[in-house]
Amino acid sequence: MNIALFLPRLLLAGFVIFSFGCTNYSTTASVQAPPTLISITNNGNSNFTLKVRAQNPEFIFQGYRLYSGATETLAQNPPDLNAGDACLLAQATIVQPIEYTFEIDPSTNANTAGVSCRIFSTLTPGTYIAMRTLGLSVNLQNSSSSFKVSIPSNALIVP
């Protein structure tokens, strides 16, 4: 059988089965892997370079959120998980193990060459930073969506 003719039929059959007879689906949110912070360098003028190693092959992967706090615990477990500064990498649907370079800078300058993403944030030397992975969470019952965050990364002290 010609694969070009078989594939549309297979997709249609799968859609019909899923739409009308599939009751075995999960309502449990997917767990995203947290990134590992490798190093942070002060570039002067409130500009920092952050090296991060991450692996997020999930389809729902969206990017990362940076948190800062006076202590390691506050950076890793902020009172509001929406309060951090996000770096959305939606153009990369599937991300394999990679080392990212982020720029953390309050200005709206363009990314420096070789930088994966710019996080618009102001950091204070001596504070702690941590990151969490952002995944897309869709609620089919009320047609809403939001970000689901991972467990926290390790923490680093801002130089």
Side-chain angles (χ1 to χ4, degrees):
M1 176 182 277
N2 187 344
I3 191 71
L5 296 175
F6 179 72
L7 189 57
R9 291 179 189 167
L10 179 64
L11 291 173
L12 179 62
F15 176 75
V16 170
I17 291 170
F18 181 75
S19 297
F20 298 108
C22 180
T23 58
N24 297 324
Y25 57 89
S26 174
T27 57
T28 305
S30 174
V31 177
Q32 297 286 304
T36 301
L37 306 185
I38 299 171
S39 67
I40 184 167
T41 308
N42 189 339
N43 300 329
N45 299 327
S46 301
N47 183 312
F48 296 88
T49 300
L50 177 64
K51 299 273 187 180
V52 175
R53 174 143 330 255
Q55 176 181 358
N56 292 288
E58 297 89 354
F59 179 71
I60 63 172
F61 169 75
Q62 296 295 299
Y64 299 98
R65 186 169 286 155
L66 179 75
Y67 301 93
S68 62
T71 66
E72 183 176 358
T73 302
L74 284 174
Q76 290 179 316
N77 302 299
D80 181 7
L81 293 177
N82 295 316
D85 297 300
C87 174
L88 301 181
L89 297 170
Q91 72 275 11
T93 306
I94 298 177
V95 178
Q96 295 302 319
I98 191 169
E99 185 172 296
Y100 289 107
T101 301
F102 294 104
E103 260 185 340
I104 305 169
D105 190 351
S107 73
T108 57
N109 297 336
N111 286 352
T112 305
V115 171
S116 305
C117 192
R118 179 179 288 265
I119 300 173
F120 301 104
S121 182
T122 301
L123 295 179
T124 306
T127 59
Y128 291 81
I129 60 166
M131 290 184 102
R132 291 178 183 245
T133 301
L134 297 174
L136 185 62
S137 176
V138 178
N139 185 338
L140 298 176
Q141 292 176 337
N142 63 9
S143 300
S144 66
S145 64
S146 62
F147 286 127
K148 173 87 174 145
V149 296
S150 71
I151 60 174
S153 69
N154 59 312
L156 294 177
I157 298 174
V158 178

